[in-house]
């Protein structure tokens, strides 16, 4: 049996990001002060993350292999099929990881209980030692979370855990034809969002409350998706009847681009996107991949 490898993923603390931008601790404190914030607040988050990473590091058996990766380096990191991934940070870190994995189990660790929502980072740092042993023995229970994919007609593909967004880079009006459930409509809107059950706890929850309170959003492990059109504009040439709905397993949403510069990005990562030109078609549907998050 191969020696397990644990990959600890994290994102830079707010303090680290501020220090990289402003150069010195004193300047960081000055900038925060001009915004009505205290350096102590940022220090607390930085120290909590450092303590959590130290606890997780100590929980990895000495004879196991280990690696670490910061969120900004995920696109260049090579995961191995047998990795056990420990994500230490906010819920969004797990979503950022999802597209780079191929079934490896993820243990989400919350370094600041009560600050993060705790939807995807459900474990305390002190629980990691036991969870690692359970995963290695095949005794841990994992939730297989549905993912969503967008596939363009030129072969480009984007994978996301929460949702995909289709629209203009600046979120101004985009023109396209939308087809779903056999119904087609030309639209001009600020974008189309297609989300999973995991995404139903975030952006999709907000859209559902405003646009379709009667729509039942899927659970994390359910195969269905939910879709929403933001701010569709009715005009002589565009409609606003298709605004929200559910995509059952096996169904897909079809979008034909009718303006230049449209993009598709997932889970809020706008810099990692597909770019679409006039006349292109993109299909959005449930992805064959799932994200396995360790729950117990």
């Amino acid at each position: 049996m191969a020696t397990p490898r644990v990959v600890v993923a994290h994102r830079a603390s707010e303090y680290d990001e501020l220090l990289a931008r402003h150069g010195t601790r004193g300047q960081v404190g000055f900038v925060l002060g001009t915004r009505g914030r205290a350096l102590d607040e940022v220090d607390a988050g930085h120290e909590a993350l450092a303590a959590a990473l130290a606890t997780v590091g100590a929980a990895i058996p000495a004879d196991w292999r280990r690696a670490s990766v910061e969120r900004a380096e995920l696109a260049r990191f090579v995961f191995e099929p047998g990795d056990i991934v420990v994500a230490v940070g906010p819920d969004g870190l797990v979503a950022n990881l999802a597209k780079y994995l191929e079934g490896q189990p993820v243990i989400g660790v919350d370094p600041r209980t009560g600050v993060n929502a705790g939807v995807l980072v459900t474990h305390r740092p002190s629980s990691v030692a036991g969870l690692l042993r359970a995963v290695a023995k095949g005794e841990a229970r994992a939730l297989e979370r549905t993912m969503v994919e967008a596939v363009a007609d030129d072969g480009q593909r984007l994978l996301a855990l929460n949702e995909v967004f289709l629209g203009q880079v600046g979120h101004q009006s985009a023109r396209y034809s939308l087809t779903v459930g056999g119904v087609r409509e030309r639209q001009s809107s600020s974008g189309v969002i297609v989300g999973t059950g995991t995404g139903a706890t975030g952006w999709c929850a907000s859209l559902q409350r405003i646009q379709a309170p009667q729509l039942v959003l899927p659970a994390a492990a359910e195969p269905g998706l939910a879709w929403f059109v933001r701010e569709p504009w009715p005009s002589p040439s565009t409609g606003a009847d298709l605004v929200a709905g559910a995509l059952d397993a096996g169904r897909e949403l079809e979008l034909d681009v009718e303006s230049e510069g449209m993009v598709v990005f997932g889970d809020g990562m706008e810099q990692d996107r597909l770019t679409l030109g006039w006349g292109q078609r993109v299909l959005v549907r449930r992805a064959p991949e799932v994200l396995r998050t360790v729950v117990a």
Side-chain angles (χ1 to χ4, degrees):
M1 180 178 177
T3 303
R5 185 176 81 151
V6 178
V7 178
V8 180
H10 68 285
R11 60 171 296 175
S13 68
E14 184 182 11
Y15 176 75
D16 285 333
E17 292 175 341
L18 287 168
L19 190 62
R21 187 180 311 151
H22 300 293
T24 68
R25 178 177 174 82
Q27 186 63 19
V28 169
F30 172 78
V31 171
L32 289 173
T34 64
R35 298 172 181 171
R37 297 184 63 193
L39 188 56
D40 288 348
E41 173 191 346
V42 176
D43 281 340
H46 180 76
E47 291 166 4
L49 176 60
L53 289 171
T55 300
V56 169
I60 302 172
D63 58 340
W64 287 19
R65 296 179 300 143
R66 63 181 68 200
S68 64
V69 59
E70 203 273 321
R71 186 185 68 162
E73 303 298 324
L74 284 172
R76 293 181 287 275
F77 186 83
V78 179
F79 288 95
E80 298 178 1
D83 283 343
I84 303 172
V85 182
V86 182
V88 184
D91 294 284
L93 175 62
V94 178
N96 298 153
L97 271 167
K99 65 189 297 180
Y100 301 106
L101 301 178
E102 297 180 350
Q104 295 93 333
V106 178
I107 301 171
V109 177
D110 188 353
R112 303 190 72 189
T113 304
V115 175
N116 297 310
V119 175
L120 296 171
V121 287
T122 57
H123 303 290
R124 295 179 180 271
S126 57
S127 301
V128 171
L131 290 169
L132 288 175
R133 290 191 293 271
V135 172
K137 294 178 181 178
E139 297 173 354
R141 186 167 65 90
L143 179 66
E144 294 192 344
R145 294 177 177 270
T146 293
M147 299 185 70
V148 57
E149 68 172 1
V151 182
D153 56 6
D154 61 359
Q156 296 184 87
R157 179 175 184 261
L158 186 138
L159 187 65
L161 176 63
N162 289 322
E163 71 280 308
V164 294
F165 169 86
L166 305 92
Q168 292 287 347
V169 175
H171 298 253
Q172 66 267 36
S173 292
R175 287 180 175 268
Y176 54 85
S177 288
L178 180 70
T179 303
V180 61
V183 180
R184 183 179 179 88
E185 183 175 67
R186 294 190 71 236
Q187 293 186 338
S188 176
S189 80
S190 60
V192 179
I193 294 91
V194 184
T196 66
T198 299
T201 62
W203 198 0
C204 286
S206 175
L207 292 164
Q208 183 250 11
R209 289 182 62 187
I210 296 170
Q211 293 185 221
Q214 76 288 349
L215 180 64
V216 178
L217 297 178
E222 291 180 350
L225 306 172
W227 60 272
F228 303 89
V229 178
R230 294 197 318 174
E231 304 164 327
W233 181 49
S235 75
S237 60
T238 59
D241 293 324
L242 294 179
V243 296
L247 284 178
D248 297 330
R251 293 181 61 196
E252 57 191 17
L253 178 146
E254 179 182 299
L255 186 145
D256 292 294
V257 179
E258 297 182 9
S259 57
E260 288 296 335
M262 282 189 65
V263 299
V264 183
F265 63 82
D267 297 332
M269 299 184 71
E270 296 192 41
Q271 71 277 15
D272 184 8
R273 63 195 185 212
L274 310 183
T275 301
L276 305 173
W278 189 292
Q280 281 197 265
R281 173 173 294 175
V282 60
L283 301 177
V284 186
R285 59 201 176 204
R286 179 193 181 192
E289 297 91 343
V290 296
L291 178 70
R292 298 179 61 229
T293 53
V294 176
V295 294

